[in-house]
Amino acid sequence: MRPLKIPKPTVKRLAIYYRCLTKLKETGIDRTSSKEMADALGIKASQVRKDLSYFGEFGKRGVGYDVDKLSYKLKEILGLKKNWNVAIIGSGNLGYAIANYSGLEKNGFKVVAAFDIDEKKIGRMIIPGVTINKFSEMSSIINENSIEIAILTVPAHESQNVADALVKSGIKGILNFTPSSLSVPENISVEDVDFVISLKSLTFEIASFNDNE
Amino acid sequence: MRPLKIPKPTVKRLAIYYRCLTKLKETGIDRTSSKEMADALGIKASQVRKDLSYFGEFGKRGVGYDVDKLSYKLKEILGLKKNWNVAIIGSGNLGYAIANYSGLEKNGFKVVAAFDIDEKKIGRMIIPGVTINKFSEMSSIINENSIEIAILTVPAHESQNVADALVKSGIKGILNFTPSSLSVPENISVEDVDFVISLKSLTFEIASFNDNE
DNA sequence: ACTTTTTTGTGGTATAATTAACAATGTATA
DNA sequence: TATACATTGTTAATTATACCACAAAAAAGT
Ligand SMILES: NC(=O)c1ccc[n+]([C@@H]2O[C@H](COP(=O)([O-])OP(=O)(O)OC[C@H]3O[C@@H](n4cnc5c(N)ncnc54)[C@H](O)[C@@H]3O)[C@@H](O)[C@H]2O)c1
Ligand SMILES: NC(=O)c1ccc[n+]([C@@H]2O[C@H](COP(=O)([O-])OP(=O)(O)OC[C@H]3O[C@@H](n4cnc5c(N)ncnc54)[C@H](O)[C@@H]3O)[C@@H](O)[C@H]2O)c1
């Protein structure tokens, strides 16, 4: 039933379906359809069904999907039944904004540690209850707190060094905000978030739209 | 030579090549090859050449690419020969971090205005020289300052309303940080940046790796 | 009981993106 | 000047992703 490899775009959409279902639940709606979700997200209904079909049969023909049940299944598939402890590496502007983002806690991610090398920042609180630690203590703190995910917000020229240290500390995944492509062992997951690249896609589109008209 | 539609992944990579060339230039290297760039970025050399071939012939067979020349061409293609004025809509934590990010100015994006509805924030400076304005003044300020790009960092439930207002004000592109999919006219470009979705891709990978071993 | 309507799950097809292969072109050098 | 080597630009092959179409299943209507 479940193939070895799930397409990356499918995984991203599953997370989007999960968000969509959460919203439906909040609205008090307890049944939906591939069409309803697809329309809300601007995609095709067949895409929704195909994506879900990689993991099983969650709907009833002629009826649709039970919001609660499908939501639970996606939660399970995405690995969100447990809570994840995360650490902020690099407690600058971006690290601060992310640590204080309520969407993290709401989605089962808990910022339990933060690190920096700037002496002035060490000891300060990044969020209530979490003080910024020395970079040198990273390894032991990651282990003691079972931190599996690191949010990497250090300057670009430090990113590979820090990533190496994170891997040595036993981290499982890195959300990389730096504009460098990291080399890590293949059992470590990395997701890049690079909005300057997105900005430049935008200027490309705007500029080429102007060219064509 | 240039087809009507350039693949989206190609555009993203062009921006990455441009960054890569900038770094080479800083290192004092003035000639490169598709292989060198591909290796640095973890992709295939044929991909680099294919991507460039949509726009022309920029290299010399047997030799490679002149870093300066290719860099300039990509700058042109990506619409980066001009400087872009951008506005921050929603001057909260994320808006603040972005406005203060040095990478923007370095890449030709200038934050010239910021907006909020919170009375306490209005009049404060988000970056030196840019004070936070009332939301109601958005339209006129966008016009007076020829702002073509909006960085949208308002709460999710406001995003569509604000996007509509932005479109009415004549904005050309929106970098959307909110977790909502925006509806805009087709001549307006939107790029979504959604790192909670990236985080969940990460947990999917980590969780399914654990399942398989 | 039969028909109509709805909507799923899926196999096959179409489209898109990546990768490989190679002739064409340029450089280096013996 | 011939020969070996490097690297592009491009066509062809392969792989990945999205979309379509329809039988199967469930519910509602007659
Ligand atoms: N701020 C943004 O909006 C933004 C946007 C896109 C990308 N980024 C990237 O995110 C990263 C951080 O950006 P920022 O604006 O928060 O910068 P920042 O300078 O405000 O923060 C970086 C922090 O990392 C700390 N640091 C440096 N070396 C470290 C190390 N070895 N270990 C731990 N901490 C270390 C610094 O002391 C500083 O506090 C950069 O790579 C930047 O390119 C930022
Ligand atoms: N902070 C993060 O790391 C992060 C990460 C991912 C997504 N986001 C998204 O980015 C957005 C902003 O996040 P944040 O953490 O900065 O929140 P925030 O609450 O710190 O900032 C939001 C700001 O928008 C202002 N605002 C509200 N309505 C407005 C309106 N109509 N016009 C102008 N301003 C308005 C608020 O007064 C506030 O200052 C949210 O949609 C959030 O989901 C944030």
Side-chain angles (χ1 to χ4, degrees), chain A residues 31-182:
Chain A
R31 175 178 294 178
T32 187
S33 68
S34 57
K35 176 141 200 329
E36 186 177 38
M37 287 195 282
D39 288 350
L41 302 170
I43 61 175
K44 289 281 171 4
S46 58
Q47 182 74 78
V48 175
R49 296 199 298 276
K50 172 66 97 180
D51 287 338
L52 296 175
S53 77
Y54 288 115
F55 299 92
E57 308 191 359
F58 307 122
K60 261 213 188 83
R61 291 170 191 229
V63 181
Y65 301 93
D66 179 88
V67 172
D68 263 331
K69 189 185 150 202
L70 182 56
S71 174
Y72 182 82
K73 283 292 180 186
L74 288 179
K75 189 173 187 174
E76 197 168 33
I77 291 166
L78 291 168
L80 299 173
K81 271 168 59 188
K82 62 177 265 191
N83 277 58
W84 294 84
N85 287 342
V86 311
I88 305 284
I89 323 293
S91 306
N93 285 325
L94 188 57
Y96 180 84
I98 293 170
N100 285 278
Y101 178 46
S102 61
L104 285 188
E105 190 107 32
K106 226 174 279 171
N107 283 280
F109 298 95
K110 189 156 189 217
V111 175
V112 296
F115 301 93
D116 210 293
I117 43 157
D118 184 348
E119 286 298 335
K120 290 194 294 293
K121 288 185 179 164
I122 291 163
R124 292 225 290 257
M125 285 207 178
I126 190 165
I127 49 170
V130 179
T131 51
I132 298 170
N133 293 107
K134 281 191 214 153
F135 180 68
S136 58
E137 296 179 289
M138 193 172 76
S139 193
S140 59
I141 291 177
I142 282 177
N143 273 285
E144 282 158 23
N145 294 278
S146 339
I147 296 170
E148 295 177 279
I149 294 176
I151 295 183
L152 189 58
T153 49
V154 300
H157 62 273
E158 295 279 349
S159 60
Q160 186 62 57
N161 289 339
V162 175
D164 292 344
L166 284 167
V167 170
K168 277 213 194 93
S169 310
I171 212 87
K172 300 272 179 55
I174 299 175
L175 189 65
N176 176 35
F177 281 88
T178 78
S180 323
S181 56
L182 302 177

Side-chain angles (χ1 to χ4, degrees), chain A residues 97-98 101, chain B residues 89-95 115-118 121 135 153-156 158 162 177-179 195-196:
Chain A
I98 293 170
Y101 178 46
Chain B
I89 324 294
S91 307
N93 284 325
L94 188 58
F115 302 93
D116 211 293
I117 41 157
D118 185 348
K121 288 184 179 166
F135 179 68
T153 49
V154 301
E158 294 279 351
V162 175
F177 281 89
T178 77
F195 79 72
V196 173

